[in-house]
């Protein structure tokens, strides 16, 4: 199946997507269908939906959080510094980096 990307959403999702997010698929013979609005659409094997936002710190409802996997791709300078420091320490003194990760 082909991926579907919905870009720049706010903190609320359109209820039309509920059946897709909840994977409420209808088996019709050998095919799967999903009801989106008033239409039934075929669902292909391997179908994925990706939803993106430009909000810095979105506060999604517990229902949305339960039905989706939320990944924060925000990169900060402090985060990059910590990652680079961890790599350098791992190369130079591996046991020190292991101790640091155990403390975190």
């Amino acid at each position: 199946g082909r991926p579907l990307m919905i870009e720049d959403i706010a903190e609320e999702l359109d209820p039309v997507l509920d059946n897709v997010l909840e994977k409420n698929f209808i088996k019709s013979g050998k095919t799967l269908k999903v009801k989106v609005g008033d239409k039934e659409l075929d669902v292909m094997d391997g179908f994925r939906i990706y939803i993106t936002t430009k909000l810095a710190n979105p506060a999604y409802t517990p229902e949305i959080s339960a039905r989706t996997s939320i990944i924060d791709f925000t990169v900060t300078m402090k985060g990059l510094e910590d990652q680079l420091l961890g790599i350098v320490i791992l190369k130079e003194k591996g046991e020190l980096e292991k101790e640091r990760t155990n403390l975190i």
Side-chain angles (χ1 to χ4, degrees), residues 2-3 8 22 39 48 50 58 64 80 87 92:
R2 295 187 178 144
D8 302 333
E22 293 174 5
K39 294 182 180 180
R48 297 282 184 261
Y50 300 95
I64 292 174
L80 287 174
I87 292 169
E92 299 289 323

Side-chain angles (χ1 to χ4, degrees), residues 46-86:
F47 169 75
R48 297 282 184 261
I49 185 169
Y50 300 95
I51 303 171
T52 65
T53 184
K54 290 185 178 178
L55 299 175
N57 192 15
Y60 293 112
T61 63
E63 292 81 19
I64 292 174
S65 297
R67 293 184 288 182
T68 59
S69 297
I70 299 175
I71 303 170
D72 185 0
F73 286 105
T74 305
V75 178
T76 63
M77 287 302 286
K78 177 70 175 143
L80 287 174
E81 288 173 5
D82 289 344
Q83 288 179 27
L84 289 173
L85 181 61

Side-chain angles (χ1 to χ4, degrees), residues 20-52:
V20 177
L21 295 176
E22 293 174 5
K23 296 183 181 180
N24 289 334
F25 301 149
I26 305 162
K27 188 159 184 139
S28 175
K30 291 185 177 183
T31 61
L32 292 175
K33 296 183 180 279
V34 65
K35 189 164 182 139
V36 178
D38 58 348
K39 294 182 180 180
E40 281 190 3
L41 304 173
D42 290 340
V43 178
M44 300 173 72
D45 288 337
F47 169 75
R48 297 282 184 261
I49 185 169
Y50 300 95
I51 303 171
T52 65

